[in-house]
Structure formats: structure tokens, C-alpha cells
Amino acid sequence: MKTVLSIQSHVAYGYVGNRAAVFPLQRLGIDAVAVNTVQFSNHTGYGAWTGQVFSAEHIADVVDGVAARGVLPRCDAVLSGYMGDVGLGQVIVETAARVKAANPQAIYCCDPVMGDVGRGFFVRPGLPDFIKTHAVPAADLLTPNQFELEYLADRPIQTLDDALAATAALRARGPRLVLVTSLTRQDAAADSIEMLVDDADGAWLVSTPRLALEPSPNGSGDAVAALFLAHYLKGFDPADALEQAAAAIYAIFETTSQMGTRELQLIAAQDDFVNPPRRFAATRLR
């Protein structure tokens, strides 16, 4: 059994951060060790919430306790999402290094949660620069959305060539694989949304129909990163892992749309995201 140390936000109500990542990992047969960087009542997309961001010292203390149980050498991957602040980000990057030192085969999958198209940045000042400067070079797998890709690569994304140039630029800085979790470009069908994976051996694109979800559910990027990582750890090559993740998130979106809620319906869709009723073929780009 594969084990993932997932260091992300936590909400009491809804599905973002660890609440969007841990259950998909577990449902796909991955043991998840969850460390929560925040505890909020709900995700910030509602505009109001209660709770707090945990201190870097608190997270380091929890990780030390996990390490004392002998868990780090058994971890196959570290998955990080919303970091909270720069101090917390430093602890996360250091934890990934500790896991990789304990298990040289382990990988660090960084979901560089910073912002989104239409919302802009929603993290504390200084964190985007920290992610660009420190987290990206430390990562083996990087899973930005389009907004985050543009920021990290310092270039706008309007075409497929733009996206490939951006992912190549990021791979040159350290990550061996970049997964773009949502891609909308001028040279694609308006009724579709795409995901792109790029590594040294090739690049693949998958397209799924764009569903009418208003408002768009938060946490989809968190779920996609977990879904892709789960299949990647289970031995799927990048193209197959991309197809599996695309089919799973589409099934989750379909159920969410049918139930008319803004929260991802992970529990209701659990059988469909494990065995998706609809598949989408990835197209090789190079």
C-alpha cells in the first residue's frame, strides 16, 4: 500500500484542501496521513469564515510527532496545498526534504495554491514569491491551475503553445512533471475545459465538456492533484494518470451539478470516481 503525507488546509464544512484530497486518496487505496495547516469553518470562497491558520511551530510539532512514529520512511509522497504563510511554507518544504531523505524513492507533489482566474491572489503577501522561489524547485510534481501557471512561468497563457512553453519553463527549474489542472485557451472549443501534463518523455492534453456549475465549486484543483497523484503512485504513466484523473473529476462534477450544490459531492460520487462511467482519451502533443 502506498502512503501519502498530505499537508493542506482543513474545513469543518465543505470539500477543499485535505477534505478534498484525503478521501479520494483513501478511496483509491492510498493511505493518507493528514496534517492540517488551517482549521476553518468553511472555505474562503463564501466570503466569511471562522477559524485560524496554524503556526509554523504547530505544524512542525505535528510533523515531529508523526516522524517519531516511524512514518516518514514509509511515505511514498508528500502532497502540499494551501500553505497559509511563508513560515508554514518553509516547514512544508523542509518536511518534503525530510521524507525524501528517509525514503529516497519518495516524491514531493506541490499544488501551488495561490489564486485563480477571476479572483486573483487569495493568499498572504510574500507567499507567491516563496512558492516560486523555494517550493517549485523542491517539487517533483507541480500541479498549478492556469492562473498559477502564468504567475510561476512569468508569461500569459492564451494558446496551447503558450501553455507548453510555460510548463517547459517550470520543468527547467526543478519539477520533473507539471500537471495543469485547468486550462482555458483561445484556440480550444469554448464548451470544453482541458488538463495538460508535461514531462521529459512527452506532453498530453485531455479535454472534457464544460458543465454549467454556478458558482464553480472550490476544491476541484485539490481533488485533481490527489486523484492524479494516486494513479501516478499506483504505476500509471502520466498519460494514463491524466485520463483517470480527468474521468474522475468529471464524474464528481456531474454529480455535483445534479445535486445543485456548490460543494464537491465526493461522497455521493465515490463509486463513479473510482470506476468512472465516462472516459476521455488524452492526446499526445509531443
Side-chain angles (χ1 to χ4, degrees), residues 254-271:
E254 272 201 315
T255 301
T256 303
S257 177
Q258 291 164 5
M259 297 185 70
T261 174
R262 68 180 294 175
E263 294 293 343
L264 292 175
Q265 293 302 298
L266 297 177
I267 308 304
Q270 61 181 290
D271 292 334

Side-chain angles (χ1 to χ4, degrees), residues 2 4 38 63 76 140 161 203 225 235 261 264 283:
K2 300 294 185 180
V4 171
V38 311
V63 170
D76 298 282
D140 298 291
D161 286 343
T261 174
L264 292 175
T283 301

Side-chain angles (χ1 to χ4, degrees), residues 23-263:
F23 179 68
L25 288 169
Q26 293 172 329
R27 191 65 177 81
L28 289 168
I30 306 293
D31 189 16
V33 179
V35 176
N36 299 322
T37 57
V38 311
Q39 178 164 263
F40 290 164
S41 56
N42 51 268
H43 66 68
T44 60
Y46 285 99
W49 66 93
T50 58
Q52 60 184 285
V53 175
F54 295 136
S55 70
E57 293 76 16
H58 173 86
I59 301 304
D61 188 44
V62 172
V63 170
D64 284 343
V66 170
R69 304 283 72 79
V71 174
L72 301 193
R74 303 202 306 269
C75 287
D76 298 282
V78 174
L79 173 62
S80 71
Y82 179 73
M83 292 182 175
D85 60 26
V86 170
L88 234 168
Q90 291 171 334
V91 171
I92 291 170
V93 171
E94 290 166 2
T95 298
R98 288 178 67 181
V99 169
K100 293 173 73 172
N103 177 11
Q105 302 305 312
I107 60 175
Y108 173 30
C109 180
C110 175
D111 182 6
V113 177
M114 295 180 287
D116 206 350
V117 175
R119 290 184 66 189
F121 289 109
F122 51 66
V123 295
R124 293 182 177 182
L127 192 54
D129 183 65
F130 172 83
I131 291 174
K132 179 186 287 189
T133 306
H134 297 283
V136 169
D140 298 291
L141 275 60
L142 192 70
T143 64
N145 62 29
Q146 183 161 338
F147 175 85
E148 292 153 352
L149 177 65
E150 290 182 337
Y151 170 75
L152 294 173
D154 294 310
R155 64 187 73 204
I157 310 297
Q158 297 181 335
T159 67
L160 184 55
D161 286 343
D162 291 339
L164 288 170
T167 56
L170 292 184
R171 286 196 299 108
R173 294 175 50 203
R176 68 188 190 210
L177 181 149
V178 177
L179 166 68
V180 185
T181 59
S182 60
L183 179 63
T184 302
R185 54 190 173 90
Q186 293 177 349
D187 50 346
D191 61 350
S192 69
I193 189 164
E194 298 170 326
M195 291 195 291
L196 168 69
V197 67
D198 181 17
D199 74 358
D201 296 324
W204 295 265
L205 184 76
V206 67
S207 176
T208 60
R210 185 183 293 272
L211 297 174
L213 293 167
E214 292 295 338
S216 179
N218 292 62
S220 57
D222 305 325
V224 168
L227 291 163
F228 180 88
L229 178 61
H231 290 295
Y232 189 79
L233 289 176
K234 291 167 71 173
F236 286 77
D237 64 35
D240 289 335
L242 176 66
E243 290 181 351
Q244 292 286 338
I249 196 64
Y250 185 79
I252 293 168
F253 280 161
E254 272 201 315
T255 301
T256 303
S257 177
Q258 291 164 5
M259 297 185 70
T261 174
R262 68 180 294 175
E263 294 293 343

